[in-house]
């Protein structure tokens, strides 16, 4: 979020926060006035990500560690000491954050600079090719957390959609000849907020409901008339 909003925040976050507290509706003019001026910066940012992915593909840090340790130990020991890669940068959480940021950038600026969508597509095409090899075949196997990072990324994308709706509303209100396009764009905000709330409250991914488990496992409910125990205190009166 801070990477995407850095242009709207400006030089002082305190000043930005004070403005929003005093005039909450100014968020539309702030986002719509400042963020579109940074499209070329974010286009360059996405292109530089291709270089970062290619550097990760070479695993140069592990290679330098291996070459250094090989001077002191045998090859097998040097190889084991050069692994694993630094989890603060190459770990699942760090990569998830950077990839989500790139996707949010491609979404937020897609309408005012359509070329950024092409750059974002190329970025993720490179990610699929590079990390499709690195993660299963070259790097140390990462622990499976059951989708924790995946769900967190989806939540961040919802925040990106809120930013997109606010920015487009402010942009259309300030530049269109009529306020109607801005009102239409602003109408998406309640829907995105409702979708975000629904995503967080109505989807169960940490615990599978027993009814769904029964369907997946093929278990059938007991036939009618079968002996069943019901606690008297819980029986309907």
């Amino acid at each position: 979020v801070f990477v995407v909003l850095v242009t709207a925040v400006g030089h002082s976050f305190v000043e930005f926060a004070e403005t929003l507290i005093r005039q909450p509706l100014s968020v539309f003019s702030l986002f719509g006035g400042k963020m579109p001026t940074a499209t070329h910066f974010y286009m360059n940012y996405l292109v530089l990500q291709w270089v970062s992915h290619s550097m990760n593909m070479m695993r140069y840090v592990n290679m330098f560690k291996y070459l250094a340790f090989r001077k002191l130990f045998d090859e097998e020991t040097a190889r084991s000491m050069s692994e694993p890669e630094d989890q603060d940068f190459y770990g699942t959480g760090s990569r998830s954050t950077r990839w989500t940021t790139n996707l949010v950038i491609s979404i937020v600026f897609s309408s005012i600079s359509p070329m950024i969508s092409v750059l974002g597509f190329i970025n993720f095409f490179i990610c699929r090719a590079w990390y499709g090899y690195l993660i299963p075949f070259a790097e140390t196997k990462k622990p499976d957390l059951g989708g924790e990072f995946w769900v967190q990324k989806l939540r961040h994308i919802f925040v990106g959609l809120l930013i997109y709706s606010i920015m487009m509303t402010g942009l259309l209100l300030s530049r269109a000849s009529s306020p109607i396009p801005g009102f239409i764009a602003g109408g998406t905000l309640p829907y995105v907020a409702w979708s975000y709330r629904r995503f967080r409250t109505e989807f169960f991914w940490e615990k599978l409901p027993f009814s769904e488990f029964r369907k997946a496992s093929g278990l059938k409910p007991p036939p009618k008339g079968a002996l069943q125990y019901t606690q008297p205190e819980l029986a309907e009166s």
Side-chain angles (χ1 to χ4, degrees):
V1 174
F2 293 106
V3 175
V4 179
L5 294 182
V6 64
T7 53
V9 172
H11 299 288
S12 174
F13 176 79
V14 176
E15 181 180 347
F16 174 78
E18 289 179 352
T19 302
L20 291 184
I21 293 173
R22 294 173 181 174
Q23 300 176 345
L25 294 180
S26 65
V27 64
F28 296 101
S29 60
L30 286 174
F31 284 22
K34 293 184 178 180
M35 292 182 64
T37 61
T39 52
H40 285 74
F41 166 79
Y42 286 111
M43 291 173 70
N44 293 328
Y45 177 85
L46 284 178
V47 173
L48 286 176
Q49 295 303 300
W50 309 349
V51 180
S52 176
H53 301 321
S54 300
M55 293 175 66
N56 294 339
M57 178 65 177
M58 294 186 294
R59 305 192 74 207
Y60 62 95
V61 175
N62 300 81
M63 182 188 69
F64 290 148
K65 289 168 64 177
Y66 170 77
L67 294 176
F69 287 128
R70 195 176 62 173
K71 300 294 184 180
L72 304 174
F73 307 97
D74 59 88
E75 291 189 359
E76 185 60 27
T77 304
R79 185 194 65 81
S80 61
M81 294 181 68
S82 64
E83 300 286 349
E85 55 280 342
D86 181 17
Q87 297 303 301
D88 291 339
F89 184 81
Y90 300 100
T92 305
S94 177
R95 282 178 174 167
S96 298
T97 301
R98 294 196 300 274
W99 295 347
T100 305
T101 300
N102 294 338
L103 179 59
V104 169
I105 289 173
S106 302
I107 293 174
V108 169
F109 297 99
S110 59
S111 294
I112 56 180
S113 182
M115 187 61 190
I116 204 169
S117 300
V118 178
L119 300 179
F121 175 83
I122 296 174
N123 173 77
F124 287 105
F125 178 82
I126 294 175
C127 286
R128 178 62 183 87
W130 279 197
Y131 299 105
Y133 165 76
L134 282 176
I135 294 176
F137 299 113
E139 295 182 346
T140 305
K141 186 176 181 179
K142 307 296 191 300
D144 185 0
L145 299 182
E148 182 72 33
F149 290 121
W150 170 250
V151 174
Q152 193 65 29
K153 285 189 285 186
L154 293 178
R155 291 174 180 172
H156 290 168
I157 292 173
F158 269 108
V159 176
L161 292 175
L162 285 172
I163 295 173
Y164 170 76
S165 297
I166 294 173
M167 184 195 69
M168 291 304 301
T169 301
L171 181 66
L172 292 173
L173 286 175
S174 62
R175 298 189 183 184
S177 58
S178 169
I180 295 178
F183 292 151
I184 295 175
T188 62
L189 284 170
Y191 176 74
V192 174
W194 173 81
S195 300
Y196 182 46
R197 179 183 177 278
R198 178 173 177 267
F199 176 78
R200 299 203 61 168
T201 58
E202 298 188 18
F203 288 90
F204 301 95
W205 64 276
E206 294 176 304
K207 298 180 181 179
L208 184 67
F210 182 76
S211 59
E212 297 296 328
F213 171 77
R214 186 177 64 187
K215 294 178 183 179
S217 59
L219 296 177
K220 297 181 180 179
K224 293 183 179 180
L227 295 177
Q228 299 182 20
Y229 170 76
T230 303
Q231 187 173 343
E233 290 82 1
L234 300 179
E236 296 181 1
S237 58

